[in-house]
Amino acid sequence: MAAAKGYASGSNEVSVTEGLTSLRGKKPASLYVFAPGDDYFVPQAKEAARSLVAEVFWAFDYAEFEGSDDNVDGIREFLGSESFGSGRKVLVINGLEDKGAKRLGTMAPLFLSGGTTIVIFADPAKVPSELLKKAYVITNYAVPLTAVRSWIKKRFEGRAIEDQAVHELMGRTASSFFLMRSEIDKLLAYTSAAVTVADVREVVPRCHIAAAADLVEAISLRKYDRAATALYDLSASGATDTTILYDVELGFVRLLNAKLVSKSNRPKADLRAWCLRTQHQYLDDYTLSALLTAASHIKLRELEAMLERLEEIEYETKKGLTSSALVALERLLSAVALTKQ
């Protein structure tokens, strides 16, 4: 569950903003790979890709395929066909299965011929290296906070919303545009006047990412009642065992790096840059300060022991030795609380 990329770094990595801007431009690249991230941007990327072809030619020059072995022949036929319109064709591939990806790797010249813009939604590690090294790879879905706040206020369609309510909404959804869009619709239906922070807390549940981050911070600060609430929020999120463990481990890895930055007296900017580079998360000043504060309340050996225990829980969960990740995390929390009494 390490946060390693799992693919070669020679590809042209760009942010989601840069990727969409390029895709919407007059001279789009031949190949884009959108890694799994904020689902809000999937329809945006598809719409941008489709706009490259005149609507009258969509039936001929625009195609979508699942990335399975069964569809490889259809993809080859589409790539090898002539354009019916202005010369630009667009191909969208949703996901990649291992066998299909291997066969597509043998078709690199067709993919990179220049007459077709191809958008692949898949883990970059599954994309054949011959294609990946020529692609714009979007793994960073971080958007400047000012732009996020502006987007939120526009979605409220002129309805007033407290600044603290905006902050609370971003925190509870981990600034996921996909989640914020649906939660804003709920808030608009629930409220009739200015939206307050109390409204957000009543209507918007914590997503698994936010709940996991809260759990990690609460454990480091020895606030076990708050940690128990975070566990409840994780349970209510409906996330899978794998997702929950990944989120929690990611939080402790982030805390570990905050501890190392603090111990070595390195600038805060190093931690912010590391989080953006490896976890694709932008830390604002408040979050950065909270992370360093949490790191100062836990010892390095405790962090290392916690990460080791999480690896054990992952193994136990995969082997069916524990009923669920949440049960194992609850036991871990109880054990940590007892040792600190």
Side-chain angles (χ1 to χ4, degrees), residues 37 78 92 115 136 164 208 239 269 306 321:
F78 178 79
V92 173
Y136 275 22
Q164 187 59 32
H208 60 85
M306 190 67 71
L321 302 176

Side-chain angles (χ1 to χ4, degrees), residues 9-327:
S9 59
S11 55
N12 185 15
E13 291 190 27
V14 297
S15 70
V16 66
T17 304
E18 293 168 326
L20 289 175
T21 299
S22 170
L23 191 53
R24 290 168 176 151
K26 294 182 178 179
K27 294 182 178 180
S30 294
L31 182 58
Y32 298 84
V33 175
F34 284 80
D38 193 334
D39 289 343
Y40 171 81
F41 293 104
V42 173
Q44 288 207 33
K46 288 185 177 182
E47 182 182 347
R50 194 184 297 112
S51 70
L52 297 174
V53 177
E55 186 174 354
V56 68
F57 296 116
W58 281 356
F60 310 102
D61 289 347
Y62 177 86
E64 280 196 41
F65 289 93
E66 298 298 317
S68 64
D69 182 53
D70 293 341
N71 289 324
V72 171
D73 290 339
I75 291 172
R76 180 187 288 109
E77 183 179 350
F78 178 79
L79 288 173
S81 64
E82 294 293 328
S83 167
F84 280 75
S86 61
R88 171 63 58 181
K89 297 191 302 179
V90 172
L91 170 66
V92 173
I93 300 176
N94 298 304
L96 279 178
E97 294 180 1
D98 292 340
K99 192 174 180 181
K102 186 175 181 180
R103 289 182 63 193
L104 290 177
T106 66
M107 297 158 47
L110 270 178
F111 272 85
L112 304 173
S113 63
T116 306
T117 292
I118 300 142
V119 180
I120 301 174
F121 296 98
D123 182 346
K126 290 191 173 185
V127 178
S129 59
E130 301 91 332
L131 301 178
L132 194 66
K133 64 186 179 182
K134 299 292 186 179
Y136 275 22
V137 182
I138 295 88
T139 59
N140 176 11
Y141 289 88
V143 176
L145 293 180
T146 53
V148 178
R149 294 189 187 101
S150 176
W151 180 87
I152 289 172
K153 290 181 178 180
K154 286 180 181 177
R155 293 287 299 191
F156 274 97
E157 302 170 352
R159 180 88 66 82
I161 178 171
E162 295 176 353
D163 288 342
Q164 187 59 32
V166 171
H167 180 80
E168 187 74 14
L169 176 63
M170 291 168 62
R172 286 175 174 263
T173 58
S175 294
S176 162
F177 285 89
F178 182 76
L179 290 177
M180 285 191 293
R181 180 177 58 183
S182 61
E183 296 302 337
I184 288 172
D185 289 343
K186 284 163 58 178
L187 283 164
L188 285 170
Y190 171 81
T191 61
S192 58
V195 178
T196 66
V197 67
D199 293 329
V200 174
R201 288 171 179 166
E202 184 170 351
V203 174
V204 182
R206 287 190 184 278
C207 70
H208 60 85
I209 297 173
D214 206 32
L215 175 66
V216 171
E217 183 175 291
I219 290 175
S220 67
L221 296 174
R222 315 285 197 260
K223 295 182 178 180
Y224 301 117
D225 287 344
R226 177 180 158 193
T229 300
L231 271 178
Y232 173 81
D233 289 338
L234 274 174
S235 176
S237 74
T240 64
D241 282 347
T242 301
T243 298
I244 288 171
L245 289 172
Y246 177 80
D247 289 342
V248 173
E249 183 175 352
L250 210 62
F252 276 109
V253 169
R254 188 160 53 242
L255 197 62
L256 175 64
N257 275 274
K259 188 71 175 178
L260 295 174
V261 165
S262 181
K263 282 177 68 70
S264 60
N265 293 318
R266 284 153 52 198
K268 295 179 182 179
D270 284 3
L271 179 58
R272 178 178 277 145
W274 175 85
C275 281
L276 188 59
R277 184 178 68 255
T278 65
Q279 298 191 349
H280 309 301
Q281 179 184 14
Y282 177 80
L283 302 180
D284 60 18
D285 291 341
Y286 175 85
T287 306
L288 186 63
S289 177
L291 182 58
L292 289 168
T293 297
S296 70
H297 283 76
I298 189 168
K299 296 177 181 178
L300 184 59
R301 65 173 181 271
E302 292 174 331
L303 278 169
E304 292 170 341
M306 190 67 71
L307 284 166
E308 288 177 6
R309 180 62 188 124
L310 286 170
E311 291 289 346
E312 292 170 0
I313 290 174
E314 181 188 10
Y315 175 81
E316 292 167 1
T317 302
K318 287 180 177 178
K319 295 296 183 179
L321 302 176
T322 185
S323 57
S324 73
L326 282 167
V327 169

